Amino acid sequence: MALGGFRRAEAIPHLINALAEDESRAEAEAALREVGALAHDSLIVAALPDPTPTDRESESRLRQRRSALTLLVQSGIRPREWPALRNIMDDRDPRLALLACRLCLTCAPKSERREAIARLRSLLPGADIPLRLDIEQSLMQDMQQENEN
């Protein structure tokens, strides 16, 4: 994705769209990392559910949302940005819920962090092995941070 190498705002919508496609996702993610903070607001919008919900999101839209949220987890968000993403903790997609809980644990008020822990625990019974390992890792990291504080 040469578009990201230019670090231009005009490339961001194209890169966000590319997150939905398996063939271009890795390159789009790398390009969005290169673009950096310039893409931050667009990633937040891309992570949100569509404003007119349907019974079921398409797989490509779910992949796009997961990818955008993963990039936000990796780069971090400011506490003032958290409220826009808060409801994703309750998303039907367990991977999206996990990623939102991870964000919560890094930037939200303490009361909401307790909600994230409860949500992570509620995801465990239905989780496949990779998701279960990710959830357990998130719970352990939170416990370590609590012990350090």
Side-chain angles (χ1 to χ4, degrees):
M1 282 262 146
L3 286 173
F6 297 116
R7 293 188 180 151
R8 307 261 321 189
E10 298 83 25
I12 294 170
H14 301 288
L15 296 170
I16 295 289
N17 288 337
L19 295 176
E21 303 302 327
D22 292 338
E23 301 81 26
S24 58
R25 184 175 311 107
E27 293 167 354
E29 287 175 348
L32 285 162
R33 282 187 202 96
E34 285 287 317
V35 171
L38 207 55
H40 199 82
D41 290 341
S42 296
L43 286 169
I44 290 172
V45 171
L48 296 173
D50 292 327
T52 53
T54 59
D55 287 342
R56 205 171 149 216
E57 282 184 288
S58 70
E59 277 303 311
S60 62
R61 178 67 177 120
L62 281 172
R63 287 191 295 266
Q64 182 185 43
R65 290 181 63 211
R66 288 180 198 133
S67 185
L69 210 49
T70 297
L71 289 166
L72 291 169
V73 167
Q74 292 169 352
S75 67
I77 63 168
R78 294 175 290 264
R80 66 180 169 83
E81 295 169 322
W82 167 244
L85 300 165
R86 175 186 294 124
N87 290 338
I88 300 174
M89 285 197 310
D90 295 320
D91 202 280
R92 288 188 291 186
D93 182 76
R95 177 66 56 186
L96 284 167
L98 164 65
L99 291 166
C101 288
R102 282 188 177 168
L103 280 173
C104 179
L105 294 174
T106 63
C107 70
K110 194 168 188 117
S111 62
E112 289 188 49
R113 290 183 200 156
R114 286 191 286 271
E115 289 177 41
I117 295 298
R119 177 63 171 140
L120 287 170
R121 288 183 177 144
S122 77
L123 292 171
L124 280 169
D128 60 17
I129 292 173
L131 183 62
R132 176 178 285 276
L133 292 173
D134 286 347
I135 292 168
E136 290 172 353
Q137 179 184 16
S138 294
L139 291 169
M140 299 239 333
Q141 285 174 344
D142 183 67
M143 284 176 35
Q144 288 172 343
Q145 286 177 343
E146 282 295 315
N147 290 337
E148 291 171 4
N149 294 332

